[in-house]
Amino acid sequence: MLKKTVCLLLAAAPIGAVHAQQLRIVAGAPDTTYTATLNLRGVASAGTQISVQGESFPVYSSGEWAARVELTEGDNTVTLTTTDGQSVSKNIFLKKREAPQPIDGPRAENVQLLPSSDMALSPGDAVRIRLNAAPGAKVAWIGGEPLYEVSQGVFQGQYTVQPGDTLIGRPIELSIAWGDTTAVQEVESSLELIEGPMPRIVQTKAGAYLNYGLGGDRLGGAKINSLAEGIKLQVVGRVNQMYKVRLSRNTVAWIPVSCTEPMPEGTFAAESLTDSWSVTTGGKYDQLTVGLSERLPYIITEDPDLHRINIDLYGAACNTNWITQLKGEKEIANVSYRQVQDDVLRVIVELRDSQMWGYSVGYRGNSLVVRVKHRPESLKLSNLTIAVDAGHGEPWNGARTTSGVKEQDLTKDMAEHLKAVLEAKGAKVILTRPGLDNASMDERKAAALDGGADILISIHCNAGGSPFAAKGTSTYYRHLSQRPLSVYILESILEMDVNNFGNIGNFNFSLNQPTEYLTVLVETLFLSTPEDSAKILDKRFRDEMMDRVAWGLEKFLASVPGSDAKAPKKFKPSK
């Protein structure tokens, strides 16, 4: 006997659909804290008011609220009530921060080697130390070098690595004299001396990049630029998993150990004379080729005011007597060079267009190849390919509103609306995350590059900071050639009822890094701020924001000198 199966298709609830909600504290209320002022967030019935400690706070249309409370030392019972008669209480204990007690005895505490206890060092490098000991103590370390008491109980010192140093690589011992007692204390460390008749050489792997220094944030340290694979670099230091590499006699940079592979002992550092140059054109690109005997590291800088791209080649000396430039180049107006140091050659690429449309720097064999993308024949949207990136994706959901709506769902909705708007204007659109699942940064960049994108727009929602102060829209760019696009989009959005959180440059987001096409990151509003969240949870508001992103894109295209594109002078929402 066959059983019948009945399938019910239920329409998905709109994102951020609001129902009557019980008053709840969702975030910001720990059991114990050292902070006297807390910002609580939660949900309640939309349209009511939250009262706490004699102050009222609105419940927004999303049902979300934020409230500020002040605590006194010890136990606090925080009670919140709503105008529709609900209440909730939370016990929070405010701990007093105890002043640190001075050390009593011949010992050291809070010992720090700076910048790390795990380093490889070259002669001339400095190792620094900071620690706490008893006030007035006499403390010495490597080679009997004294530490200095810079404030009560805080000692600091520095040791400079010497050629043939026999003290680096051995256990570090502290000698601490206090009163009539002297004690020896060992410091946990792993220090290595880099020295020998031949330099230590590594070679870059695919995806390598250089950093300016050891600083970092949640997106990593400040990057200089990507590097092609197969470039030899001389290692002169290491801090944790970052190599310090010498690019020239006067220039060093940092590179992750994971971006390199060791070369056999006896390998020479990279250096080359330059050979002949040639400039050609074909397809969508002009191309400069610089002959070299081996691949050299480089640093790229843009100079939009002078319409130039500069590539500093490290380890290069000029032996170029032929620079062949044929007719027909559309973007490269001229190429030249400058020997800025005896081992640094600057390649100067002068452009015809005031707006860069994309370029790449790499190697074919040992020849440096700089490809400069032609300006599109028409700057009308009907002639362009736009990559639209919806931030995050399962299982990396991104931020959440206080009521639990995921950033990935909001960005997906906005990306799909922006796609529809741009396609209605004739553009070809690539979605870098077409489904619910997350796509890696490399997959997203590959989708844009392989699809021939002229511009990439990444859509995100922001979060963090005070739910009363952190609010508004912001746009982000990495390279100066991308700034005008980011400014036009931000200014277009700011005509809405939103705060200006800023136009942020040199941003370290992975999708802002490519130079092959223009990119901009749009952080729409703060999901952690109920005032912003209520707006972005409104479908009509999201759609208008994306309409304005498209309008900003149109205004940017129309602003380019000689453009055939025209943008509406007044905003027109999509139908």
Short mmCIF file of all heavy atoms in Angstrom, two decimals, residues 92-157:
data_model
loop_
_atom_site.label_atom_id
_atom_site.label_comp_id
_atom_site.label_asym_id
_atom_site.label_seq_id
_atom_site.Cartn_x
_atom_site.Cartn_y
_atom_site.Cartn_z
N ILE A 92 24.42 42.18 39.18
CA ILE A 92 25.76 42.39 38.64
C ILE A 92 26.67 42.84 39.76
O ILE A 92 26.33 43.78 40.51
CB ILE A 92 25.76 43.44 37.51
CG1 ILE A 92 24.78 43.05 36.41
CG2 ILE A 92 27.16 43.61 36.92
CD1 ILE A 92 24.59 44.10 35.33
N PHE A 93 27.80 42.20 39.89
CA PHE A 93 28.76 42.56 40.95
C PHE A 93 29.89 43.37 40.35
O PHE A 93 30.57 42.93 39.42
CB PHE A 93 29.32 41.29 41.60
CG PHE A 93 30.19 41.57 42.80
CD1 PHE A 93 29.62 41.85 44.02
CD2 PHE A 93 31.57 41.58 42.69
CE1 PHE A 93 30.42 42.11 45.14
CE2 PHE A 93 32.38 41.84 43.79
CZ PHE A 93 31.80 42.11 45.02
N LEU A 94 30.09 44.59 40.86
CA LEU A 94 31.18 45.45 40.40
C LEU A 94 32.37 45.27 41.33
O LEU A 94 32.30 45.60 42.52
CB LEU A 94 30.74 46.92 40.39
CG LEU A 94 31.84 47.94 40.05
CD1 LEU A 94 32.37 47.71 38.63
CD2 LEU A 94 31.32 49.38 40.19
N LYS A 95 33.45 44.71 40.77
CA LYS A 95 34.66 44.48 41.55
C LYS A 95 35.55 45.72 41.52
O LYS A 95 35.62 46.42 40.51
CB LYS A 95 35.43 43.28 40.99
CG LYS A 95 34.68 41.96 41.08
CD LYS A 95 35.49 40.82 40.51
CE LYS A 95 36.63 40.45 41.42
NZ LYS A 95 37.33 39.21 40.95
N LYS A 96 36.22 45.96 42.61
CA LYS A 96 37.18 47.06 42.69
C LYS A 96 38.53 46.57 42.18
O LYS A 96 38.98 45.48 42.55
CB LYS A 96 37.31 47.55 44.13
CG LYS A 96 38.29 48.69 44.31
CD LYS A 96 38.38 49.10 45.77
CE LYS A 96 39.38 50.22 45.97
NZ LYS A 96 39.49 50.62 47.41
N ARG A 97 39.15 47.37 41.36
CA ARG A 97 40.49 47.02 40.88
C ARG A 97 41.50 47.31 41.99
O ARG A 97 41.62 48.45 42.42
CB ARG A 97 40.85 47.82 39.63
CG ARG A 97 40.03 47.44 38.41
CD ARG A 97 40.55 48.12 37.16
NE ARG A 97 39.69 47.85 36.02
CZ ARG A 97 39.80 46.79 35.24
NH1 ARG A 97 40.74 45.88 35.49
NH2 ARG A 97 38.99 46.62 34.21
N GLU A 98 42.16 46.28 42.43
CA GLU A 98 43.13 46.44 43.50
C GLU A 98 44.45 46.97 42.94
O GLU A 98 44.90 46.55 41.88
CB GLU A 98 43.38 45.10 44.19
CG GLU A 98 42.13 44.49 44.82
CD GLU A 98 41.61 45.29 45.99
OE1 GLU A 98 42.39 46.09 46.56
OE2 GLU A 98 40.42 45.14 46.34
N ALA A 99 45.04 47.91 43.63
CA ALA A 99 46.35 48.42 43.22
C ALA A 99 47.38 47.31 43.37
O ALA A 99 47.36 46.55 44.34
CB ALA A 99 46.74 49.61 44.08
N PRO A 100 48.26 47.16 42.38
CA PRO A 100 49.27 46.10 42.48
C PRO A 100 50.19 46.32 43.69
O PRO A 100 50.59 47.44 43.99
CB PRO A 100 50.05 46.24 41.16
CG PRO A 100 49.80 47.63 40.69
CD PRO A 100 48.43 47.97 41.16
N GLN A 101 50.46 45.23 44.37
CA GLN A 101 51.32 45.30 45.54
C GLN A 101 52.79 45.23 45.13
O GLN A 101 53.15 44.49 44.20
CB GLN A 101 51.00 44.14 46.49
CG GLN A 101 49.58 44.18 47.05
CD GLN A 101 49.34 45.45 47.86
OE1 GLN A 101 50.13 45.80 48.75
NE2 GLN A 101 48.24 46.14 47.55
N PRO A 102 53.65 46.03 45.76
CA PRO A 102 55.07 45.98 45.41
C PRO A 102 55.65 44.60 45.72
O PRO A 102 55.24 43.93 46.66
CB PRO A 102 55.70 47.06 46.28
CG PRO A 102 54.72 47.30 47.38
CD PRO A 102 53.37 47.01 46.83
N ILE A 103 56.59 44.19 44.89
CA ILE A 103 57.24 42.90 45.08
C ILE A 103 58.17 42.98 46.27
O ILE A 103 58.91 43.95 46.46
CB ILE A 103 58.00 42.50 43.80
CG1 ILE A 103 57.00 42.32 42.65
CG2 ILE A 103 58.81 41.23 44.01
CD1 ILE A 103 57.66 42.10 41.30
N ASP A 104 58.13 41.93 47.08
CA ASP A 104 58.95 41.88 48.30
C ASP A 104 59.82 40.65 48.21
O ASP A 104 59.36 39.53 48.45
CB ASP A 104 58.04 41.83 49.54
CG ASP A 104 58.85 41.86 50.84
OD1 ASP A 104 60.06 42.09 50.77
OD2 ASP A 104 58.24 41.62 51.90
N GLY A 105 61.08 40.85 47.80
CA GLY A 105 61.98 39.71 47.68
C GLY A 105 62.78 39.76 46.39
O GLY A 105 62.49 40.54 45.48
N PRO A 106 63.81 38.93 46.26
CA PRO A 106 64.68 38.94 45.07
C PRO A 106 64.09 38.10 43.94
O PRO A 106 64.56 37.00 43.64
CB PRO A 106 65.99 38.34 45.61
CG PRO A 106 65.53 37.38 46.66
CD PRO A 106 64.33 38.00 47.30
N ARG A 107 63.06 38.61 43.31
CA ARG A 107 62.45 37.89 42.19
C ARG A 107 61.90 38.90 41.19
O ARG A 107 61.71 40.08 41.51
CB ARG A 107 61.34 36.97 42.68
CG ARG A 107 60.12 37.67 43.21
CD ARG A 107 59.07 36.70 43.72
NE ARG A 107 57.83 37.37 44.10
CZ ARG A 107 57.63 37.98 45.24
NH1 ARG A 107 58.60 38.02 46.15
NH2 ARG A 107 56.48 38.57 45.50
N ALA A 108 61.64 38.41 40.00
CA ALA A 108 61.07 39.25 38.94
C ALA A 108 59.71 38.67 38.53
O ALA A 108 59.51 37.45 38.53
CB ALA A 108 62.00 39.30 37.73
N GLU A 109 58.81 39.57 38.19
CA GLU A 109 57.49 39.17 37.71
C GLU A 109 57.19 39.93 36.41
O GLU A 109 57.81 40.94 36.10
CB GLU A 109 56.42 39.49 38.75
CG GLU A 109 56.57 38.70 40.04
CD GLU A 109 55.50 39.05 41.07
OE1 GLU A 109 54.65 39.92 40.76
OE2 GLU A 109 55.52 38.47 42.17
N ASN A 110 56.22 39.40 35.67
CA ASN A 110 55.77 40.04 34.41
C ASN A 110 56.95 40.31 33.48
O ASN A 110 57.06 41.39 32.89
CB ASN A 110 55.03 41.35 34.70
CG ASN A 110 53.87 41.17 35.65
OD1 ASN A 110 53.13 40.18 35.56
ND2 ASN A 110 53.71 42.09 36.58
N VAL A 111 57.82 39.32 33.32
CA VAL A 111 59.00 39.49 32.48
C VAL A 111 58.60 39.43 31.01
O VAL A 111 57.93 38.48 30.58
CB VAL A 111 60.05 38.41 32.79
CG1 VAL A 111 61.28 38.60 31.91
CG2 VAL A 111 60.43 38.44 34.26
N GLN A 112 58.99 40.43 30.25
CA GLN A 112 58.69 40.50 28.82
C GLN A 112 59.95 40.75 28.03
O GLN A 112 60.69 41.70 28.31
CB GLN A 112 57.72 41.64 28.51
CG GLN A 112 56.33 41.48 29.06
CD GLN A 112 55.52 42.72 28.72
OE1 GLN A 112 55.72 43.80 29.29
NE2 GLN A 112 54.61 42.59 27.78
N LEU A 113 60.23 39.89 27.04
CA LEU A 113 61.24 40.21 26.04
C LEU A 113 60.54 40.88 24.87
O LEU A 113 59.47 40.43 24.42
CB LEU A 113 61.95 38.94 25.56
CG LEU A 113 62.90 38.26 26.55
CD1 LEU A 113 63.58 37.08 25.89
CD2 LEU A 113 63.94 39.24 27.06
N LEU A 114 61.11 41.96 24.39
CA LEU A 114 60.46 42.75 23.34
C LEU A 114 61.30 42.76 22.07
O LEU A 114 62.51 42.94 22.13
CB LEU A 114 60.27 44.19 23.84
CG LEU A 114 59.47 44.32 25.14
CD1 LEU A 114 59.50 45.76 25.63
CD2 LEU A 114 58.04 43.85 24.95
N PRO A 115 60.69 42.53 20.90
CA PRO A 115 59.25 42.39 20.71
C PRO A 115 58.70 41.00 21.00
O PRO A 115 57.48 40.81 20.99
CB PRO A 115 59.06 42.73 19.23
CG PRO A 115 60.34 42.33 18.59
CD PRO A 115 61.41 42.63 19.60
N SER A 116 59.53 39.99 21.26
CA SER A 116 59.04 38.65 21.53
C SER A 116 60.13 37.84 22.22
O SER A 116 61.32 38.19 22.18
CB SER A 116 58.63 37.96 20.22
OG SER A 116 58.31 36.60 20.42
N SER A 117 59.72 36.74 22.82
CA SER A 117 60.70 35.83 23.42
C SER A 117 61.16 34.77 22.41
O SER A 117 62.00 33.94 22.74
CB SER A 117 60.09 35.14 24.64
OG SER A 117 58.95 34.39 24.27
N ASP A 118 60.59 34.78 21.20
CA ASP A 118 60.94 33.81 20.15
C ASP A 118 61.44 34.58 18.94
O ASP A 118 60.64 35.09 18.14
CB ASP A 118 59.72 32.96 19.80
CG ASP A 118 60.03 31.91 18.74
OD1 ASP A 118 61.21 31.68 18.44
OD2 ASP A 118 59.07 31.32 18.20
N MET A 119 62.79 34.71 18.81
CA MET A 119 63.35 35.56 17.77
C MET A 119 64.63 34.96 17.20
O MET A 119 65.35 34.22 17.88
CB MET A 119 63.67 36.96 18.31
CG MET A 119 62.48 37.77 18.75
SD MET A 119 62.95 39.48 19.20
CE MET A 119 63.82 39.20 20.75
N ALA A 120 64.90 35.32 15.94
CA ALA A 120 66.21 35.13 15.34
C ALA A 120 66.79 36.51 15.09
O ALA A 120 66.08 37.40 14.60
CB ALA A 120 66.11 34.34 14.04
N LEU A 121 68.07 36.71 15.42
CA LEU A 121 68.66 38.05 15.45
C LEU A 121 69.97 38.08 14.69
O LEU A 121 70.69 37.08 14.62
CB LEU A 121 68.90 38.48 16.90
CG LEU A 121 67.67 38.47 17.81
CD1 LEU A 121 68.07 38.22 19.25
CD2 LEU A 121 66.91 39.78 17.68
N SER A 122 70.26 39.25 14.13
CA SER A 122 71.53 39.48 13.45
C SER A 122 72.36 40.46 14.27
O SER A 122 71.81 41.22 15.09
CB SER A 122 71.29 40.06 12.06
OG SER A 122 70.66 39.13 11.20
N PRO A 123 73.69 40.47 14.09
CA PRO A 123 74.52 41.46 14.79
C PRO A 123 74.00 42.87 14.56
O PRO A 123 73.64 43.24 13.44
CB PRO A 123 75.90 41.25 14.16
CG PRO A 123 75.91 39.81 13.78
CD PRO A 123 74.51 39.52 13.30
N GLY A 124 73.94 43.65 15.62
CA GLY A 124 73.40 45.01 15.55
C GLY A 124 71.96 45.10 16.00
O GLY A 124 71.48 46.19 16.33
N ASP A 125 71.24 43.96 16.03
CA ASP A 125 69.86 43.97 16.52
C ASP A 125 69.85 44.16 18.04
O ASP A 125 70.80 43.79 18.73
CB ASP A 125 69.14 42.66 16.17
CG ASP A 125 68.80 42.56 14.70
OD1 ASP A 125 68.84 43.59 14.01
OD2 ASP A 125 68.50 41.44 14.24
N ALA A 126 68.75 44.71 18.52
CA ALA A 126 68.61 44.94 19.96
C ALA A 126 67.55 44.01 20.53
O ALA A 126 66.49 43.82 19.94
CB ALA A 126 68.24 46.39 20.23
N VAL A 127 67.85 43.43 21.68
CA VAL A 127 66.88 42.69 22.47
C VAL A 127 66.54 43.54 23.68
O VAL A 127 67.44 44.01 24.39
CB VAL A 127 67.45 41.33 22.95
CG1 VAL A 127 66.36 40.52 23.64
CG2 VAL A 127 68.06 40.56 21.80
N ARG A 128 65.26 43.74 23.93
CA ARG A 128 64.84 44.57 25.05
C ARG A 128 64.09 43.74 26.07
O ARG A 128 63.49 42.71 25.72
CB ARG A 128 63.95 45.72 24.54
CG ARG A 128 64.69 46.67 23.62
CD ARG A 128 63.78 47.73 23.06
NE ARG A 128 64.50 48.66 22.21
CZ ARG A 128 63.91 49.65 21.54
NH1 ARG A 128 62.61 49.84 21.61
NH2 ARG A 128 64.64 50.46 20.79
N ILE A 129 64.11 44.19 27.29
CA ILE A 129 63.44 43.48 28.37
C ILE A 129 62.74 44.48 29.27
O ILE A 129 63.22 45.61 29.46
CB ILE A 129 64.43 42.61 29.17
CG1 ILE A 129 63.66 41.65 30.10
CG2 ILE A 129 65.42 43.47 29.94
CD1 ILE A 129 64.55 40.58 30.73
N ARG A 130 61.58 44.07 29.78
CA ARG A 130 60.85 44.87 30.76
C ARG A 130 60.31 43.91 31.81
O ARG A 130 59.81 42.83 31.48
CB ARG A 130 59.70 45.63 30.10
CG ARG A 130 58.88 46.48 31.08
CD ARG A 130 57.68 47.13 30.40
NE ARG A 130 58.10 48.07 29.38
CZ ARG A 130 57.56 48.12 28.15
NH1 ARG A 130 56.61 47.28 27.80
NH2 ARG A 130 58.00 49.02 27.29
N LEU A 131 60.39 44.29 33.10
CA LEU A 131 59.92 43.41 34.17
C LEU A 131 59.60 44.22 35.41
O LEU A 131 59.92 45.41 35.51
CB LEU A 131 60.97 42.33 34.47
CG LEU A 131 62.39 42.80 34.84
CD1 LEU A 131 62.51 43.16 36.31
CD2 LEU A 131 63.40 41.71 34.50
N ASN A 132 58.96 43.55 36.34
CA ASN A 132 58.70 44.13 37.66
C ASN A 132 59.57 43.42 38.69
O ASN A 132 59.71 42.20 38.67
CB ASN A 132 57.23 43.96 38.04
CG ASN A 132 56.30 44.71 37.11
OD1 ASN A 132 55.55 44.09 36.36
ND2 ASN A 132 56.33 46.03 37.16
N ALA A 133 60.15 44.20 39.59
CA ALA A 133 60.94 43.66 40.70
C ALA A 133 60.77 44.59 41.90
O ALA A 133 60.09 45.64 41.81
CB ALA A 133 62.41 43.52 40.31
N ALA A 134 61.36 44.22 43.01
CA ALA A 134 61.23 45.04 44.21
C ALA A 134 61.86 46.42 43.97
O ALA A 134 62.95 46.53 43.40
CB ALA A 134 61.93 44.34 45.37
N PRO A 135 61.18 47.48 44.39
CA PRO A 135 61.76 48.81 44.23
C PRO A 135 63.15 48.87 44.87
O PRO A 135 63.36 48.37 45.98
CB PRO A 135 60.77 49.71 44.96
CG PRO A 135 59.47 48.97 44.90
CD PRO A 135 59.83 47.54 45.00
N GLY A 136 64.09 49.46 44.13
CA GLY A 136 65.45 49.60 44.64
C GLY A 136 66.33 48.39 44.40
O GLY A 136 67.52 48.43 44.74
N ALA A 137 65.78 47.32 43.82
CA ALA A 137 66.59 46.12 43.56
C ALA A 137 67.65 46.43 42.50
O ALA A 137 67.53 47.39 41.72
CB ALA A 137 65.70 44.97 43.11
N LYS A 138 68.69 45.60 42.45
CA LYS A 138 69.70 45.68 41.41
C LYS A 138 69.52 44.46 40.51
O LYS A 138 69.63 43.32 40.96
CB LYS A 138 71.11 45.69 42.00
CG LYS A 138 71.38 46.83 42.99
CD LYS A 138 71.28 48.19 42.30
CE LYS A 138 71.58 49.32 43.27
NZ LYS A 138 71.42 50.66 42.64
N VAL A 139 69.19 44.73 39.22
CA VAL A 139 68.87 43.64 38.30
C VAL A 139 69.82 43.71 37.11
O VAL A 139 70.05 44.79 36.54
CB VAL A 139 67.41 43.72 37.80
CG1 VAL A 139 67.05 42.48 36.97
CG2 VAL A 139 66.45 43.86 38.98
N ALA A 140 70.39 42.57 36.73
CA ALA A 140 71.25 42.48 35.55
C ALA A 140 70.81 41.27 34.73
O ALA A 140 70.15 40.35 35.22
CB ALA A 140 72.71 42.35 35.97
N TRP A 141 71.20 41.29 33.44
CA TRP A 141 70.82 40.16 32.58
C TRP A 141 71.95 39.84 31.63
O TRP A 141 73.10 39.77 32.07
CB TRP A 141 69.49 40.42 31.91
CG TRP A 141 69.47 41.48 30.81
CD1 TRP A 141 70.10 42.66 30.80
CD2 TRP A 141 68.76 41.37 29.58
NE1 TRP A 141 69.83 43.35 29.64
CE2 TRP A 141 68.99 42.58 28.88
CE3 TRP A 141 67.92 40.43 29.00
CZ2 TRP A 141 68.44 42.82 27.61
CZ3 TRP A 141 67.36 40.68 27.76
CH2 TRP A 141 67.62 41.87 27.07
N ILE A 142 71.72 39.66 30.34
CA ILE A 142 72.71 39.15 29.39
C ILE A 142 74.05 39.86 29.55
O ILE A 142 74.13 41.09 29.48
CB ILE A 142 72.21 39.30 27.94
CG1 ILE A 142 70.88 38.56 27.75
CG2 ILE A 142 73.24 38.76 26.95
CD1 ILE A 142 70.25 38.78 26.38
N GLY A 143 75.13 39.08 29.75
CA GLY A 143 76.46 39.64 29.86
C GLY A 143 76.64 40.55 31.05
O GLY A 143 77.57 41.38 31.06
N GLY A 144 75.78 40.45 32.05
CA GLY A 144 75.89 41.31 33.23
C GLY A 144 75.40 42.72 33.01
O GLY A 144 75.62 43.60 33.85
N GLU A 145 74.73 42.97 31.85
CA GLU A 145 74.22 44.32 31.57
C GLU A 145 73.15 44.68 32.59
O GLU A 145 72.23 43.89 32.86
CB GLU A 145 73.62 44.38 30.16
CG GLU A 145 74.63 44.25 29.03
CD GLU A 145 75.46 45.52 28.87
OE1 GLU A 145 74.97 46.60 29.26
OE2 GLU A 145 76.59 45.42 28.36
N PRO A 146 73.24 45.87 33.19
CA PRO A 146 72.25 46.25 34.21
C PRO A 146 70.92 46.65 33.59
O PRO A 146 70.85 47.15 32.46
CB PRO A 146 72.90 47.45 34.90
CG PRO A 146 73.76 48.07 33.83
CD PRO A 146 74.27 46.91 33.01
N LEU A 147 69.84 46.43 34.33
CA LEU A 147 68.54 46.99 33.99
C LEU A 147 68.33 48.25 34.80
O LEU A 147 68.88 48.40 35.90
CB LEU A 147 67.43 45.98 34.28
CG LEU A 147 67.51 44.62 33.59
CD1 LEU A 147 66.21 43.85 33.78
CD2 LEU A 147 67.83 44.75 32.11
N TYR A 148 67.52 49.14 34.27
CA TYR A 148 67.32 50.45 34.89
C TYR A 148 65.89 50.56 35.41
O TYR A 148 64.93 50.19 34.72
CB TYR A 148 67.63 51.56 33.88
CG TYR A 148 69.04 51.50 33.37
CD1 TYR A 148 69.36 50.76 32.23
CD2 TYR A 148 70.08 52.14 34.05
CE1 TYR A 148 70.66 50.68 31.77
CE2 TYR A 148 71.38 52.07 33.60
CZ TYR A 148 71.67 51.33 32.45
OH TYR A 148 72.96 51.24 32.00
N GLU A 149 65.75 51.09 36.62
CA GLU A 149 64.42 51.25 37.21
C GLU A 149 63.81 52.55 36.68
O GLU A 149 64.13 53.65 37.15
CB GLU A 149 64.53 51.28 38.74
CG GLU A 149 63.17 51.20 39.43
CD GLU A 149 63.30 50.99 40.94
OE1 GLU A 149 64.45 51.03 41.47
OE2 GLU A 149 62.26 50.77 41.58
N VAL A 150 62.92 52.42 35.68
CA VAL A 150 62.38 53.59 35.01
C VAL A 150 61.21 54.21 35.78
O VAL A 150 60.88 55.38 35.61
CB VAL A 150 61.95 53.25 33.57
CG1 VAL A 150 63.15 52.87 32.73
CG2 VAL A 150 60.91 52.11 33.55
N SER A 151 60.56 53.42 36.60
CA SER A 151 59.58 53.91 37.56
C SER A 151 59.56 52.90 38.70
O SER A 151 60.21 51.85 38.61
CB SER A 151 58.19 54.07 36.94
OG SER A 151 57.70 52.83 36.45
N GLN A 152 58.85 53.20 39.77
CA GLN A 152 58.96 52.37 40.97
C GLN A 152 58.64 50.90 40.66
O GLN A 152 57.51 50.55 40.31
CB GLN A 152 58.04 52.88 42.07
CG GLN A 152 58.28 52.17 43.41
CD GLN A 152 57.44 52.75 44.52
OE1 GLN A 152 56.30 53.17 44.29
NE2 GLN A 152 57.99 52.82 45.73
N GLY A 153 59.64 50.05 40.80
CA GLY A 153 59.46 48.62 40.61
C GLY A 153 59.41 48.17 39.16
O GLY A 153 59.21 46.98 38.90
N VAL A 154 59.58 49.08 38.20
CA VAL A 154 59.56 48.73 36.77
C VAL A 154 60.97 48.90 36.22
O VAL A 154 61.55 49.99 36.28
CB VAL A 154 58.57 49.61 35.98
CG1 VAL A 154 58.61 49.25 34.50
CG2 VAL A 154 57.16 49.47 36.54
N PHE A 155 61.51 47.80 35.68
CA PHE A 155 62.88 47.78 35.19
C PHE A 155 62.90 47.48 33.70
O PHE A 155 62.13 46.67 33.20
CB PHE A 155 63.69 46.70 35.93
CG PHE A 155 63.89 46.99 37.39
CD1 PHE A 155 62.86 46.75 38.31
CD2 PHE A 155 65.09 47.49 37.86
CE1 PHE A 155 63.03 47.01 39.66
CE2 PHE A 155 65.28 47.76 39.21
CZ PHE A 155 64.24 47.52 40.11
N GLN A 156 63.82 48.16 33.00
CA GLN A 156 63.97 47.96 31.57
C GLN A 156 65.46 47.92 31.22
O GLN A 156 66.29 48.50 31.92
CB GLN A 156 63.31 49.09 30.78
CG GLN A 156 61.81 49.12 30.87
CD GLN A 156 61.17 50.17 30.00
OE1 GLN A 156 59.97 50.21 29.88
NE2 GLN A 156 61.96 51.05 29.41
N GLY A 157 65.76 47.25 30.09
CA GLY A 157 67.13 47.21 29.61
C GLY A 157 67.18 46.78 28.17
O GLY A 157 66.18 46.34 27.59
#
